Each structure stands twice: as C-alpha cells, then as structure tokens.
Amino acid sequence: MNEDLQSIKADRPNIITTEVEAISFYRKMDTKATVNQMIAGKYVLVEEFYSNGLQVLNELKKTLLLRHQGKSFQGKRDFRSAFRKASHRLLLKVEENKLVVKKSPNIGWLTELYPDVSDFYISFPDIQGMNSSWQWHENGIEIKTLDLMLKPYYGTYFPTRFDHLKLFDKWLKKYEGSKENAIEIGVGSGILSFQLIQNGFKNIFATDTNANAIIGVAKERKRLGFEENITLNHGDLFDNCEVKADIIVFNPPWLPAKHKLEEGIDKAMYYEKELFPRFFKQAKKHLAPNGKIVLIFSNLAEVVDKNTTHPIIEELTKNNRFRKELHLRRDVRASSRKTKRNDSRDNEKVELWVLGEKGKK
Ligand SMILES: C[S@@+](CC[C@H](N)C(=O)[O-])C[C@H]1O[C@@H](n2cnc3c(N)ncnc32)[C@H](O)[C@@H]1O
C-alpha cells in the first residue's frame, strides 16, 4: 500500500507575511477607542506584553455585548459573528517563529506548522487556539485503558472523556475472531487504532478527511513504535482502501449538521445526512468473510432533540445489509468530578454497536 504523506499540507491559521498598516497598542492607551477602531475595520498590533492583547479582547467583548444585547438566539449569533470578525483584526508579530511581545507563551506549533516562513503577523485568537492546543500536546492525555500518553496534533479531535474507550476495550477483550486486518474510518488522534494494536490486531488501514489527523497519527505511530501496524490515507471514508477487514471501526460525528460543514474539527462533531448511508454502502464491500462493523455512537443528538433519527437504527431497519449482533450502552460521566452536571447531558449514554452481514454468521 502506498502512502503519500509528503504531499499532505496541514491546516493552519492564516498569517500575514507582508507589512500591515496597524495601530500599535500599548497598555496605557485608551482601550475603548482602540476597540472601536477594530470594529470599524482597522488592524491593531499588540505591543510590549502578551497580556495587552487580553486587555483589548476583554474590552471588545464588553463593547459588542452592549451592541448586541438580548439573550435571543439571533442576538447571541450576531455577537459571536461580530466578535469573531473584529477579534481577528488584533494581531501579534512573530519573528523567527516566536512571539515578539514579552511574557508570551512558548508555542511549538509556530515552528512546526510554518516551516516555510519565520516572520509574520497572526491574529490573537488564532494564537490563543494554538496555545491551548500546544498545552494539550505537550502535557499529553493519559489514556489509562492503554497505559499510554496521547499527544494530539493541532486541529485534531481528541477524547477528553473516556467512557467510549472503556466500552471498546471491553468488547476488544472478548473478541475472538481474526485479528489480521482492521480498517479505522476517522482515525482522529489515533486512539482506537492504538487500542486495536494493543489488543493484537496486526494491520490497520486508517483514514481521515482531516489532513492534520493524518499528519498527527503519522508522528504518533513513530513515537509509540506502531509504524509497522498502521497505514494512513488522507481521504473520504474508504478512498484508496483495497483491504477487506475483519473489523471496520468508526467513531463518527455524533450530531446531525444544521449548517454547512467546514473542514477540520467541525467534521469530527457534525455529520451530513449522507455520511452514514455512504459509510454503510462502502463498508459492505470492505468486510472479510465474517467481518464485523463496530460503531461507537451516542444518544447525544436524541437528548438534545428527541425527534432526531438514529442513523444506525435507520440503516438496520431500512436496508437489508446488516444485522445487529451487539448493542452495549454506558452512562457518560462528567469530564471532571468537580464539574457539576446541570444540563440534559445527565441522560447521555455512549453506545457500541457491532453489526454483521445479513445471512452470514
Ligand atoms: C468523533 S471523531 C473520532 C476520532 C477518533 N477515532 C476517536 O475515537 O477519538 C470523528 C473523526 O472522523 C473524521 N471524519 C469525518 N467524516 C469523515 C469521512 N467522510 N471520512 C473519513 N473521516 C471522516 C473526522 O475528521 C474525525 O477525525
């Protein structure tokens, strides 16, 4: 199987590489006036200290909340859109892939994602996103079921709750079929593929539409010593996949999209109407004899809107392709014991579905 990972370009925040006409912002300046300029369309460059940028953003938030008052859905939407637009006019200068202002966080993504350019301007909110992502990457996420640390790549979905991983682990421990070939659709940070490997699967063909997921898992498989076991493909569902697998695993997005999806994390959370029918149609062609489809899902969409249809139940009832072999459910715990759950997510459950081909054992 050929992998062409060299040609994959990471998704990264836009930068400005030319000189920009911007108002320099120093701590002692009039923050309100600066913010009004930003709302009117002017760029503002943060000078001296990183925290000066936070000061401007706080003021911007206050000003825009006053302008878009009201708790209506539309009011909140207008606020978010105005904040997004104006806040991206707040810039930071990067030299030699480091932020120039004092007391800035050290963000490795500035080197990793921009190997082709060292000096540029970047928006403050993009830096905040990169900073948070770099912290997750550097600190790692401890996966107890696997006894390893996950280091998620920029712009990639990664688990912060682990109930679905426990469910998958429970099933893997009982699985007695062939462990020669598996396919993982939507590999994300790689966690399910690593679970497969640690439970004895030999070859995994893993795909994702998100370029950063593929780049990240390529690095992770090297770090964790799984290079022999995982073949990666950047593409939709089973594109370029010639494997017939004993197990096809997919932890798909859990919520139906009501908006046009963007590339990246959006496609990890929301699915377009056709995703599941396309998945099931293609999956049938990629199952080895006695192969199983394992889907990790949740009732989250139903908790939010009880009229939502369940795409797996829909497939089972409408089409004559697969039969249900197993359906496990587990309560979702709050991500931290300190987090008080006061919302409808109290009823949330994660699900593991195992489907086999109709007419076969
Ligand atoms: C909920 S995340 C799961 C990630 C990872 N497997 C895990 O369990 O943590 C869903 C993943 O599916 C990917 N995805 C969404 N649509 C896809 C498609 N049509 N083909 C391949 N991957 C897709 C997303 O980019 C995302 O990485």
Side-chain angles (χ1 to χ4, degrees):
M1 196 85 47
N2 275 334
E3 271 188 350
D4 181 17
L5 299 185
Q6 299 302 329
S7 62
I8 303 178
K9 293 236 169 346
D11 271 333
R12 57 188 197 180
N14 287 335
I15 54 171
I16 303 175
T17 50
T18 53
E19 273 313 306
V20 272
E21 205 178 298
I23 302 161
S24 287
F25 178 79
Y26 295 85
R27 177 168 300 195
K28 294 217 170 92
M29 282 170 60
D30 181 342
T31 322
K32 266 203 174 83
T34 310
V35 156
N36 284 331
Q37 299 267 37
M38 260 166 70
I39 296 172
K42 293 262 184 336
Y43 281 114
V44 170
L45 179 64
V46 179
E47 302 278 3
E48 294 170 312
F49 293 103
Y50 183 79
S51 56
N52 291 359
L54 296 171
Q55 189 181 318
V56 175
L57 281 191
N58 281 340
E59 187 61 44
L60 178 68
K61 193 171 172 191
K62 263 200 277 176
T63 309
L64 289 176
L65 275 173
L66 279 176
R67 287 194 193 179
H68 301 279
Q69 257 175 346
K71 291 201 167 119
S72 70
F73 182 68
Q74 194 55 37
K76 284 187 193 158
R77 227 164 108 156
D78 291 347
F79 163 76
R80 276 202 301 272
S81 149
F83 184 77
R84 205 189 134 68
K85 258 195 213 136
S87 62
H88 277 80
R89 296 192 193 108
L90 184 63
L91 302 180
L92 283 158
K93 189 165 193 183
V94 173
E95 272 175 15
E96 296 188 9
N97 300 93
K98 288 204 162 33
L99 291 169
V100 169
V101 283
K102 292 189 206 85
K103 304 217 169 154
S104 295
N106 179 21
I107 305 171
W109 297 132
L110 288 172
T111 313
E112 174 89 25
L113 296 173
Y114 301 94
D116 47 336
V117 47
S118 57
D119 298 355
F120 49 87
Y121 297 97
I122 185 162
S123 85
F124 202 91
D126 283 338
I127 283 292
Q128 287 178 306
M130 277 187 163
N131 184 30
S132 145
S133 157
W134 187 247
Q135 300 303 320
W136 282 106
H137 178 79
E138 283 302 276
N139 296 334
I141 298 163
E142 188 186 4
I143 308 288
K144 291 211 175 96
T145 14
L146 282 184
D147 195 21
L148 60 74
M149 298 291 279
L150 202 63
K151 286 179 161 284
Y153 197 76
Y154 176 78
T156 303
Y157 173 91
F158 57 87
T160 49
R161 296 193 243 171
F162 307 104
D163 306 279
H164 60 296
L165 304 181
K166 287 182 191 149
L167 215 49
F168 188 42
D169 187 62
K170 183 173 163 186
W171 179 77
L172 276 170
K173 295 273 177 312
K174 290 201 179 132
Y175 173 78
E176 286 175 345
S178 162
K179 295 184 174 178
E180 202 52 38
N181 287 306
I183 298 172
E184 184 183 359
I185 300 297
V187 67
S189 62
I191 182 66
L192 301 182
S193 284
F194 305 154
Q195 279 188 280
L196 286 166
I197 295 168
Q198 287 207 345
N199 282 280
F201 277 83
K202 292 204 187 99
N203 307 300
I204 295 153
F205 185 90
T207 78
D208 209 296
T209 40
N210 179 350
N212 293 31
I214 299 299
I215 296 169
V217 176
K219 288 180 188 290
E220 285 288 80
R221 71 178 171 184
K222 189 164 183 194
R223 183 178 68 85
L224 296 166
F226 296 150
E227 271 184 299
E228 296 292 302
N229 310 93
I230 304 179
T231 304
L232 290 165
N233 184 60
H234 177 219
D236 178 69
L237 296 176
F238 295 83
D239 277 359
N240 299 320
C241 178
E242 287 151 21
V243 180
K244 286 203 186 272
D246 305 308
I247 299 294
I248 297 173
V249 187
F250 190 18
N251 174 12
W254 291 349
L255 295 168
K258 297 195 170 94
H259 60 289
K260 182 152 176 28
L261 291 183
E262 287 172 24
E263 289 305 323
I265 291 285
D266 214 21
K267 284 195 176 171
M269 319 289 281
Y270 300 98
Y271 63 87
E272 278 156 357
K273 220 169 141 235
E274 283 309 302
L275 179 72
F276 283 91
R278 288 195 307 113
F279 168 78
F280 286 117
K281 189 170 175 208
Q282 294 180 33
K284 190 161 165 68
K285 296 185 194 140
H286 288 280
L287 278 181
N290 293 325
K292 315 276 173 236
I293 298 177
V294 181
L295 285 150
I296 291 170
F297 206 61
S298 145
N299 67 343
L300 181 59
E302 288 163 65
V303 170
V304 176
D305 170 6
K306 65 177 178 1
N307 295 320
T308 310
T309 48
H310 191 302
I312 302 169
I313 296 177
E314 194 163 56
E315 164 64 28
L316 289 171
T317 49
K318 274 198 182 157
N319 298 313
N320 205 21
R321 280 187 279 231
F322 304 106
R323 66 191 154 76
K324 179 183 85 181
E325 285 194 1
L326 186 69
H327 177 210
L328 301 176
R329 295 181 107 199
R330 192 185 153 104
D331 286 337
V332 175
R333 284 196 201 116
S335 44
S336 137
R337 259 181 235 145
K338 287 186 205 127
T339 316
K340 219 167 156 224
R341 296 282 281 283
N342 53 7
D343 56 314
S344 52
R345 294 189 80 159
D346 266 347
N347 301 324
E348 197 183 330
K349 302 221 182 326
V350 281
E351 307 174 345
L352 180 134
W353 293 77
V354 181
L355 313 186
E357 277 189 89
K358 269 228 164 126
K360 297 189 183 163
K361 225 180 103 191

